[in-house]
Amino acid sequence: MSTDVDTRPRRRHLWIAAALAGTLVAVLATQWITRAGGSDSGDLRTQIAARMVTVLESTPAEQHGGHGAHAAGYSGSTTVCGVRIFGFEPPGATSLDMVDVVYGHHLCGIAEGRRHWDGAVKLVGPVVMRLSTDPPTIQVAEATQTATFRERVLELIPAQYQAVAFEESLDPSTMAELRRRYDDAAGF
């Protein structure tokens, strides 16, 4: 009579548990890094994002500092925007009224008469928004006759945010909400 016990299934479960734990740690670390630390900044970042969206959507498209040529002629259309924040100044701000400048990425679609998202005029790219001015000022990194897009990003965005400034993406939930709001505005 043999008393040997097959431990392979148990070891397999341990490996799976270790892999899942490692993945969880990686996800949590990534979230912490992209939020620029601590959970206290989460609510402030949400407030800043909401303020940025409000400013971008209430500013006529042709006045989105630098996007004027692309947005000319759409003054009667609705602009719908989403943002991703890289950082803000001063970095120790604890409330929205303390925030002077915000660095981020924006994606706005101009919703006009039943035009689908894929065919919409879009305003997109790194953005610097000064909230301490009235009205807030918007600067976008856009190529000029004397500077490339890359050079403009490097001029406008502080060094600590430049790498992420070249990543043109919104998080999936922000993108889904932007698309839903665009479809509503375009009459779908």
Side-chain angles (χ1 to χ4, degrees), residues 22 31 35 39 49 58 84 127 182:
Q31 287 179 341
R35 280 195 345 243
S39 60
S58 64
R84 176 175 50 118
V127 63
Y182 176 88

Side-chain angles (χ1 to χ4, degrees), residues 114-158:
R114 301 198 50 83
R115 182 180 297 242
H116 288 277
W117 173 260
D118 292 342
V121 171
K122 296 180 188 76
L123 312 173
V124 61
V127 63
V128 177
M129 187 177 292
R130 185 166 298 278
L131 297 177
S132 60
T133 61
D134 187 22
T137 55
I138 302 165
Q139 289 180 286
V140 297
E142 189 168 66
T144 66
Q145 291 182 355
T146 59
T148 66
F149 172 76
R150 180 172 182 70
E151 291 168 335
R152 288 291 294 144
V153 170
L154 297 177
E155 286 174 13
L156 291 174
I157 306 294

